[in-house]
Amino acid sequence: MKKVALITGAAQGIGFETAKLLGEQNYSVILADVQPNVVEKADELKELGMDAYSLEFDLSDSSTFQLLVDFITENFGHLDALINNAAMLVDMGKHPSDLSETLFRKVMEVNYIGPFLLTQKLVPLLKKSEAGRIVNLSTQVAQLAQLSDMNSPLREDICAAYQSSKVGVNAMTVLYAKELESFGIKVNSCCPGWVDSAMNTEDLPDYGDEARPKTLREGADTSVWLATLDKEGPTAGFFTDRKRIGW
């Protein structure tokens, strides 16, 4: 039975590269995005001989999630990998007291509440897989150990809504991992690091001593690794460059 993966935020950047890498491993890949050009991006993969599909949906509107569920149910009957990749970073430099309620709610809806509810809707299809995998894209600037270190070199790298949403994503990872462990489903978070993508800005935090940002392929590598773990692989973990890091 051919494996099936759903990647959100797949119309560009790391999401598209993740879909491409999974397509290269002979997965049927479903590219989901709010952007209409997701159709063209799926066509690009089809031209490379991959089994690719596209669906428009909005993470801030849970009423659109059933479209994904129905499509997967009707065409495949199961889901092997869910990669919650889509996110927005629009509050660089904003401290908690600087955030408008509108901006805060929008970021939380797209980055945390949407993925939480989408995962909930897709759990029944993941349970029908022989080896279901959930990968949640997070960030090292949402590590509580780093955020609580008043001497951290990243202390001034503040994006309060984005960081709060990704703390939620990490909590969701552990909670779903506990619930789904008995079904053989592995759930992990990962940080792609500093990647040359549309989300990249001059104000993004320094992730280490890298002389250059990662390529998209390098940035997508850990997501793909976690999406294709064998039965001995980890669950309830936070990873970057295929290495476990602290929460």
Side-chain angles (χ1 to χ4, degrees), residues 37-50:
N37 72 320
V38 68
V39 177
E40 299 169 9
K41 302 305 288 187
D43 287 342
E44 285 185 33
L45 298 185
K46 291 177 184 177
E47 290 174 4
L48 295 174
M50 300 177 190

Side-chain angles (χ1 to χ4, degrees), residues 19-247:
K20 186 176 181 181
L21 286 168
L22 287 169
E24 290 175 359
Q25 295 192 35
N26 203 36
Y27 276 68
S28 293
V29 289
I30 304 165
L31 286 67
D33 205 298
V34 70
Q35 301 181 59
N37 72 320
V38 68
V39 177
E40 299 169 9
K41 302 305 288 187
D43 287 342
E44 285 185 33
L45 298 185
K46 291 177 184 177
E47 290 174 4
L48 295 174
M50 300 177 190
D51 191 32
Y53 306 83
S54 62
L55 287 173
E56 286 186 52
F57 90 120
D58 185 351
L59 267 173
S60 65
D61 181 2
S62 61
S63 69
T64 67
F65 297 176
Q66 192 62 41
L67 296 174
L68 297 178
V69 175
D70 292 343
F71 179 84
I72 297 169
T73 300
E74 293 168 10
N75 289 277
F76 305 103
H78 72 284
L79 180 64
D80 298 286
L82 166 62
I83 297 91
N84 284 310
N85 169 82
M88 61 189 303
L89 171 56
V90 292
D91 62 318
M92 283 301 302
K94 288 189 179 293
H95 291 268
S97 59
D98 298 329
L99 290 171
S100 69
E101 180 178 348
T102 298
L103 178 61
F104 182 65
R105 288 184 180 278
K106 178 65 174 179
V107 172
M108 293 300 286
E109 283 284 352
V110 171
N111 292 5
Y112 171 52
I113 298 174
F116 188 104
L117 296 177
L118 178 63
T119 300
Q120 188 180 68
K121 294 281 283 187
L122 292 170
V123 160
L125 286 164
L126 286 158
K127 286 181 178 179
K128 293 181 179 180
S129 167
E130 295 179 356
R133 304 290 179 258
I134 301 172
V135 183
N136 298 320
L137 274 286
S138 187
T139 174
Q140 285 175 279
V141 296
Q143 286 177 287
L144 289 176
Q146 183 275 125
L147 285 171
S148 62
D149 180 0
M150 301 303 282
N151 297 311
S152 167
L154 302 181
R155 173 175 172 154
E156 300 305 319
D157 294 310
I158 299 295
C159 39
Y162 180 76
Q163 288 168 301
S164 297
S165 70
K166 292 301 186 179
V167 170
V169 166
N170 285 346
M172 144 185 166
T173 293
V174 176
L175 292 168
Y176 272 113
K178 288 180 178 180
E179 177 187 356
L180 301 175
E181 183 179 24
S182 63
F183 297 94
I185 299 173
K186 297 182 183 295
V187 190
N188 292 287
S189 285
C190 70
C191 172
W194 180 27
V195 180
D196 187 9
S197 71
M199 189 178 280
N200 196 10
T201 75
E202 292 181 358
D203 297 325
L204 279 180
D206 179 4
Y207 286 98
D209 297 325
E210 298 165 316
R212 59 167 178 79
K214 295 176 182 177
T215 65
L216 290 172
R217 182 157 288 225
E218 290 169 336
D221 176 74
T222 300
S223 293
V224 174
W225 171 63
L226 292 171
T228 59
L229 289 172
D230 61 26
K231 64 180 181 179
E232 304 303 324
T235 193
F238 191 11
F239 297 85
T240 192
D241 296 328
R242 300 195 183 194
K243 297 177 182 177
R244 187 184 289 269
I245 58 177
W247 295 106

